[in-house]
Amino acid sequence: MAEPEITEDLIAAHGLKPEEYARILQILNREPSFTELGIFSAMWNEHCSYKSSKKWLRTLPTEGPQVICGPGENAGVVDIGDGLAVIFKMESHNHPSYIEPHQGAATGVGGILRDVFTMGARPVAAMNALSFGEPGHPKTAHLVKGVVEGIGGYGNAFGVPTVGGEVRFHRAYNGNCLVNAFAAGIAEADAIFYSAASGVGMPVVYLGAKTGRDGVGGATMASAEFDDTIEEKRPTVQVGDPFTEKRLLEACLELMASGAVISIQDMGAAGLTCSAVEMGDKGRLGIRLTLDAVPQREAAMTAYEMMLSESQERMLMVLKPEMEDAARAIFDKWDLDFAIVGETIPEDRFLIVHGNEVKADLPLSQLSSQAPEYDRPWIEPPRPAPLTEPVEIDPVAGLRTLISAPSYAHKAWVWEQYDTMVMGDTVRSPGLGAGVVRVHGTGKALAFTSDVTPRYVKANPVEGGRQAVAEAWRNLVAVGARPLAATDNLNFGNPEKPEIMGQFVGAIKGIGEACRALDMPIVSGNVSLYNETDGQAILPTPTIGAVGLLDSLDDLIGGLPAEADTALVIGASAGHLGQSALLAEAFGIEAGDAPPVDLAAERRNGTFLLDNRAHLRAATDLSDGGLALAAFEMAEAAGIGVALDSGDLGHLFGEDQARYLVACDAAGAAALIAAGAAAGVPVAAVGRFGGDRVRLGESEAALDELSSVYRAAFAAAVA
């Protein structure tokens, strides 16, 4: 079959700018073949090369005594003591999930699980952070249903508990939902597998499922804005099979234990191309691939299609040649494909042969480490109008507005579709704060959370970036965990617009400052840009996924308030209502600055809580919705009422940072207030738990009535 002629339209369709194509001509000193054009397109798109973000990602803190492996591998690796490590990462599947929500979300889960077990870890926890458009938008209900079913269907069948996450709604996501998937696994710290190839003449082995035409060009599609041709992009969405992935997990872990693996890489974005190039580039070797040997499930596939297919459940490995038979036997046992498709070579070449024809012959290092890198122009985005009008609403009416909004209503409809208890080690399920999973066979546990408040980031990118990290840190502390490290999923619009690039730069600055101040380095992550439809960008959404350690389950703060417990706030309250949930939901106002984040206060107050955990029965951080929403959620989960002394709206709904709501018995409350005075940490009694009513100052309602609203609102809006 004749390859198409390389035209300006074909170059543009591959997402390459004229100056990038000119650079390709300079590197090759000739025109590329069609397959070579596809390979450059895959490796040089935003999704694989990070060409707009590399400059700023390098400014993030990525090291610490706990870090075994930071960014650059399939996932980050962090020491948890006793010879064990936690391996974790968060990654986006935004564009595929908007086009085909079920498969887009499912394959997002599959991809992030492979990133973890590629490094030798058995996955033990998953989370997801989801952003959708307005509940009343014609596509929203379809997207929510498809995405949740896709996540649940894949994770449940694979057998990993989903222990946390978040779901939000905002008109800015009407044309571009966000699906951010997180996975974590446990491995022996001295048995981590990396992707750098080593040794010349070593066999390159294809593992897993067969290659089809699904997902061809997926990475390039994920690096472009949407427009009215969106339906034409449906074939670029991959199709996943969780049962094949489960077999692939078991086969890979058995293969790793056999000692046969030199290096191994997941076939994710850009499939065979990206996995082979990354393995070769990291090992400073070339790779020769013979595509006739690639297991195929469709007839007459071209070299272009095989190199760019994003078929799921596939791995690429460099194998010790003397162990080929033993390795093949393992994959035969698990009924998975095992095929030697190439070898490592000493030259800096990426050589692709198909049907005895050379389809590509490229300098391998130029594809990865020499990809374009841009210093995009940026400007600070305009600040929102100040909050000048006084806010007036009955406090319980304000609370009712929040708990009936899908962003703040009870999310059981979502997480009840996920298996939260599979593997038997889940200690704390979704629903109230960070998820907690026991480290099997030890007394330790890991805590997981994901956080960001996009309204804050849009209003003030630096403060919003700081706040996302600080809230994640607080959520870990509130369950008694010592924060270890974080992964980021940076979702923004078109970086070629200076205002959008300014949002990105500001958020990175804030994230970096907070991670340094809180000793919570970024060890892995993902950048998702061009999240726009017809020129309308999403809210800037830099999701922070964070992991904390409980050295003993005895340290867990996992209780609920009891009758007559005192409600106390740790941290100073100034009543900051700018960009608050109350303003947005009750008045449709997104005005004022984001709340300031005092990182020294965050560290001091969180450390104080951990040091005084013995006095606490229950704890939660204060964030969206302030004290009123947090107190209601805590009380409602316990099935008891709550009375807060003040009816002041700033006191009730202000979103000041560095604060926690805790419940203590009388002796614990007295001890905590005394400890706060001694440590210079503000601690104030603000009310009492108990009874069957919710009272905010002089305003009150029956707990049962509010609970009915809270538990029915999400399904009523979108199900």
Side-chain angles (χ1 to χ4, degrees):
M1 190 169 80
E3 292 197 340
E5 182 188 351
I6 308 295
T7 63
E8 287 183 9
D9 287 347
L10 189 67
I11 293 162
H14 280 75
L16 290 164
K17 303 255 190 272
E19 61 272 22
E20 291 173 340
Y21 185 68
R23 187 167 174 174
I24 291 169
L25 295 178
Q26 190 177 13
I27 289 169
L28 297 181
N29 204 23
R30 59 173 173 80
E31 270 210 340
S33 69
F34 180 55
T35 300
E36 289 174 334
L37 181 72
I39 288 169
F40 271 108
S41 161
M43 292 306 302
W44 284 14
N45 65 54
E46 197 73 57
H47 192 75
C48 292
S49 73
Y50 296 108
K51 59 191 175 187
S52 298
S53 56
K54 271 185 196 168
K55 169 185 165 74
W56 298 102
L57 296 177
R58 291 191 191 105
T59 68
L60 291 171
T62 60
E63 297 177 343
Q66 72 276 43
V67 178
I68 294 172
C69 177
E73 276 293 339
N74 287 289
V77 186
V78 176
D79 192 352
I80 59 171
D82 298 322
L84 297 175
V86 59
I87 298 178
F88 63 94
K89 188 182 182 184
M90 186 172 245
E91 200 158 71
S92 61
H93 234 223
N94 303 336
H95 282 49
S97 299
Y98 189 74
I99 297 168
E100 177 51 70
H102 185 109
Q103 287 298 344
T107 52
V109 174
I112 201 67
L113 289 169
R114 283 196 305 283
D115 279 338
V116 166
F117 72 74
T118 298
M119 298 195 72
R122 182 174 291 279
V124 297
M127 295 191 293
N128 51 82
L130 312 176
S131 303
F132 298 105
E134 294 166 296
H137 186 272
K139 282 204 78 164
T140 298
H142 164 71
L143 290 170
V144 173
K145 183 171 184 289
V147 164
V148 171
E149 283 181 351
I151 291 168
Y154 203 102
N156 297 355
F158 178 85
V160 63
T162 298
V163 299
E166 50 188 344
V167 187
R168 70 178 57 82
F169 297 83
H170 191 279
R171 62 187 175 278
Y173 305 103
N174 280 349
N176 201 126
C177 66
L178 301 184
V179 175
N180 294 175
F182 170 100
I186 303 291
E188 293 180 11
D190 60 355
I192 309 298
F193 287 82
Y194 298 101
S195 58
S198 66
V200 172
M202 296 295 158
V204 174
V205 185
Y206 174 114
L207 306 169
K210 288 179 166 55
T211 293
R213 291 187 171 93
D214 49 326
V216 171
T220 301
M221 175 271 292
S223 304
E225 295 179 38
F226 284 148
D227 53 28
D228 55 12
T229 65
I230 184 172
E231 287 303 316
E232 298 169 17
K233 295 173 179 169
R234 193 173 298 276
T236 60
V237 177
Q238 313 93 321
V239 177
D241 177 357
F243 297 106
T244 299
E245 178 117 332
K246 175 66 171 173
R247 299 201 319 274
L248 183 62
L249 161 73
E250 299 299 346
C252 282
L253 293 182
E254 190 174 334
L255 185 68
M256 290 163 173
S258 76
V261 178
I262 294 174
S263 64
I264 188 164
Q265 173 79 28
D266 159 43
M267 282 197 231
L272 195 50
T273 289
C274 195
S275 55
V277 169
E278 287 190 1
M279 288 173 86
D281 189 56
K282 287 174 185 172
R284 298 187 177 179
L285 292 166
I287 301 274
R288 174 192 168 102
L289 295 179
T290 304
L291 297 187
D292 304 80
V294 169
Q296 299 158 54
R297 67 164 189 263
E298 297 184 47
M301 288 190 73
T302 65
Y304 178 95
E305 289 169 333
M306 278 187 271
M307 291 308 296
L308 297 190
S309 166
E310 293 184 7
S311 294
Q312 296 292 286
E313 293 87 42
R314 301 180 303 157
M315 299 282 203
L316 200 64
M317 172 182 69
V318 177
L319 172 75
K320 292 178 182 173
E322 68 275 15
M323 298 198 67
E324 179 190 333
D325 291 344
R328 188 185 298 276
I330 291 169
F331 274 74
D332 286 347
K333 182 180 83 172
W334 288 101
D335 194 23
L336 292 164
D337 279 294
F338 177 102
I340 294 177
V341 296
E343 64 176 349
T344 58
I345 56 177
E347 304 88 0
D348 178 21
R349 292 174 79 187
F350 192 37
L351 187 61
I352 310 300
V353 179
H354 185 220
N356 292 321
E357 282 184 47
V358 173
K359 294 295 186 179
D361 189 354
L362 301 169
L364 188 144
S365 63
Q366 301 282 325
L367 291 166
S368 181
S369 49
Q370 297 302 310
E373 185 174 330
Y374 296 119
D375 186 0
R376 302 270 189 207
W378 61 276
I379 57 173
E380 288 195 12
R383 291 293 168 86
L387 184 60
T388 53
E389 297 295 314
V391 176
E392 292 185 16
I393 191 171
D394 173 79
V396 168
L399 176 63
R400 190 180 279 108
T401 300
L402 284 184
I403 63 176
S404 60
S407 289
Y408 305 107
H410 199 257
K411 302 298 191 307
W413 184 89
V414 176
W415 51 260
E416 283 176 356
Q417 296 186 54
Y418 304 151
D419 190 334
T420 62
M421 302 305 291
V422 65
M423 300 180 79
D425 283 317
T426 304
V427 177
R428 189 178 166 99
S429 293
L432 199 65
V436 179
V437 172
R438 184 185 297 105
V439 179
H440 196 78
T442 76
K444 299 174 189 278
L446 291 166
F448 303 99
T449 185
S450 77
D451 299 283
V452 65
T453 308
R455 293 188 313 279
Y456 296 171
V457 187
K458 181 144 195 281
N460 185 329
V462 176
E463 289 293 1
R466 283 190 195 118
Q467 192 276 339
V469 174
E471 185 178 343
W473 198 82
R474 288 198 304 271
N475 272 321
L476 297 176
V477 166
V479 297
R482 173 167 50 87
L484 285 179
T487 180
D488 57 13
N489 202 149
L490 307 172
N491 308 273
F492 290 82
N494 183 345
E496 296 169 53
K497 297 177 179 177
E499 188 177 305
I500 300 292
M501 197 64 207
Q503 292 175 347
F504 183 86
V505 171
I508 286 276
K509 287 180 177 176
I511 290 167
E513 289 172 12
C515 287
R516 274 184 283 271
L518 300 172
D519 285 339
M520 195 165 76
I522 299 286
V523 297
S524 59
N526 172 244
V527 179
S528 175
L529 303 177
Y530 296 96
N531 288 290
E532 299 200 4
T533 298
D534 296 327
Q536 295 300 303
I538 59 160
L539 291 180
T541 311
T543 308
I544 301 295
V547 178
L549 178 66
L550 292 128
D551 290 312
S552 165
L553 271 171
D554 294 340
D555 295 335
L556 177 69
I557 306 168
L560 292 169
E563 191 72 30
D565 273 358
T566 302
L568 303 101
V569 170
I570 298 172
S573 300
H576 184 99
L577 284 168
Q579 297 300 327
S580 65
L582 179 72
L583 283 190
E585 299 295 346
F587 302 98
I589 295 172
E590 293 179 15
D593 202 353
V597 179
D598 179 339
L599 293 167
E602 291 284 3
R603 184 163 189 138
R604 181 193 68 216
N605 297 355
T607 302
F608 172 81
L609 186 149
L610 291 176
D611 289 345
N612 289 277
R613 72 181 93 203
H615 303 313
L616 315 178
R617 196 191 309 273
T620 184
D621 92 301
L622 294 186
S623 50
D624 266 351
L627 173 61
L629 184 58
F632 169 78
E633 288 175 344
M634 197 184 256
E636 199 271 348
I640 57 175
V642 62
L644 298 178
D645 300 331
S646 172
D648 176 74
L649 292 179
H651 175 81
L652 290 169
F653 296 99
E655 296 181 6
D656 305 289
Q657 301 297 296
R659 297 188 304 156
Y660 302 83
L661 171 65
V662 301
C664 306
D665 62 19
L672 193 68
I673 290 169
V681 173
V683 180
V686 294
R688 189 169 298 276
F689 291 98
D692 59 3
R693 300 187 71 75
V694 174
R695 181 166 64 78
L696 307 178
E698 300 303 314
S699 175
E700 62 178 288
L703 174 67
D704 285 353
E705 183 253 321
L706 293 177
S707 182
S708 296
V709 171
Y710 178 55
R711 288 183 176 261
F714 189 93
V718 298

